[in-house]
Amino acid sequence: MATLYLIGDPVAHSLSPAMQNAAFAALGLPHRYELLRTPADELGVVVDRLRRDDVLGANVTIPHKERVGSLLDQIEDTARRIGAVNTIFKRGGALRGDNTDSGGFADALAEKDVEVRGRRVLLLGAGGAARACADHLIREGAHVVIANRTPERARALAEAIPAMVGAGHSFGTLSPAPRSLDDYDVIVNATSLGLHGEDALDGVALRPDIAIVDVIATAAETPLVRRAREAGCVVVDGLGMLLHQGVRAFRLWTGLDAPLAAMRAALPRST
Ligand code: NDP
């Protein structure tokens, strides 16, 4: 039996233990996925603990995704590009860091047939989740506009994008979010708004031909997702991204194809 951890602070709200433990049970694997609340000053000690033989790997969440890479032995290309690690796995005794958020986001969109190539995408947020989403959207050829409360952070993301996705892609920045969505086909909420019942587009009307993507993975629907369903939009909620980043992490830890149906069934709503 081996243990896997979710390293972050806070972690208590996470749906990952239910989802990953359901996957281990479905395949008859004796592993356990556990929450490990990790204050910043304990990150080094916790990463050392991952080196023990009875630990298979970990997920990493706020606030350690950017910092943890410097404590690992090797960083995969995707995590290096995005500048954040969300999955730690082992190969030959070495601790390696990867980022499955960008691929999980891509898989969640694909599952709902949301095409972004050539489409006008409003990306709300400029933190780690927004970087993972931007990585996929811009490489796929979407016309992306980034809107963020703090303009400096939007600018910092814009400046990081050429190194992330290569030169020659065009995108814009706005601050704050627009009051009308006339110029957009797809909206991606990659802020933390919605975690505590906030509407990331409060007071902004939704059209049924817009696709709404929300990264917030909570047991209850966010106000934005609820409004989008009522408006008749195609909706990709945060559980879809959570599911697919978890599927990719499971494969890195075990080398096995993840039992998608069991993982989906362990989440609180169908995604
Ligand atoms: P960060 O702290 O790096 O970024 C938070 C973002 O939200 C920033 O753009 C911030 O704006 C914005 N924001 C926060 N509060 C407000 C507010 N009151 N008004 C306007 N904007 C606000 O977090 P991450 O990017 O790492 O994570 C964001 C969310 O994505 C989290 O809830 C996380 O759980 C979720 N997530 C979900 C995943 C999934 O699998 N579904 C995967 C990864 C993340 P500013 O820059 O102005 O502070």
Side-chain angles (χ1 to χ4, degrees):
M1 166 176 156
T3 308
L4 294 107
Y5 293 109
L6 174 63
I7 298 169
D9 190 11
V11 290
H13 63 283
S14 173
L15 301 170
S16 288
M19 179 176 77
Q20 296 294 358
N21 286 324
F24 296 134
L27 295 190
L29 297 170
H31 308 321
R32 289 291 310 163
Y33 185 106
E34 294 178 2
L35 300 176
L36 187 57
R37 191 177 76 80
T38 306
D41 60 354
E42 290 174 21
L43 185 60
V45 174
V46 164
V47 169
D48 275 345
R49 184 159 153 192
L50 302 182
R51 297 185 184 278
R52 292 187 338 207
D53 287 345
D54 60 345
V55 179
L56 199 58
N59 278 139
V60 184
T61 187
I62 291 174
H64 305 315
K65 284 184 177 183
E66 284 82 14
R67 213 187 115 210
V68 77
S70 64
L71 303 171
L72 305 178
D73 303 319
Q74 193 175 325
I75 307 294
E76 306 304 301
D77 287 347
T78 308
R80 188 179 304 285
R81 214 170 56 224
I82 295 169
V85 165
N86 84 322
T87 302
I88 300 173
F89 64 104
K90 291 176 166 179
R91 290 291 181 275
L95 282 184
R96 291 166 62 165
D98 204 347
N99 188 308
T100 66
D101 285 337
S102 179
F105 174 71
D107 294 343
L109 293 185
E111 196 170 49
K112 293 283 169 73
D113 293 324
V114 174
E115 175 61 65
V116 295
R117 187 177 305 278
R119 301 191 76 197
R120 302 164 304 169
V121 179
L122 175 65
L123 175 61
L124 303 172
R131 286 174 76 100
C133 297
D135 175 67
H136 171 69
L137 292 168
I138 297 175
R139 283 190 305 125
E140 271 301 298
H143 303 300
V144 177
V145 172
I146 302 160
N148 194 52
R149 174 180 64 177
T150 309
E152 298 76 36
R153 242 179 140 197
R155 266 199 300 279
L157 174 53
E159 281 165 15
I161 282 173
M164 219 158 86
V165 300
H169 297 279
S170 71
F171 51 87
T173 61
L174 276 178
S175 67
R179 305 306 301 162
S180 151
L181 303 180
D182 285 355
D183 294 335
Y184 302 101
D185 308 305
V186 180
I187 313 297
V188 178
N189 174 39
T191 71
S192 35
L193 289 174
L195 265 183
H196 305 292
E198 318 89 329
D199 187 329
L201 281 173
D202 197 20
V204 179
L206 305 178
R207 303 189 316 271
D209 59 315
I210 295 180
I212 298 285
V213 187
D214 197 342
V215 305
I216 301 296
T218 43
E221 281 186 341
T222 64
L224 177 62
V225 163
R226 198 176 321 122
R227 243 176 6 103
R229 290 199 206 283
E230 284 164 10
C233 305
V234 170
V235 176
V236 182
D237 74 13
L239 294 184
M241 180 173 172
L242 179 78
L243 172 67
H244 289 288
Q245 64 76 31
V247 161
R248 286 170 175 254
F250 185 95
R251 204 178 301 136
L252 289 172
W253 296 323
T254 65
L256 302 171
D257 282 340
L260 184 67
M263 293 172 79
R264 198 191 297 276
L267 293 174
R269 290 174 279 115
S270 62
T271 70

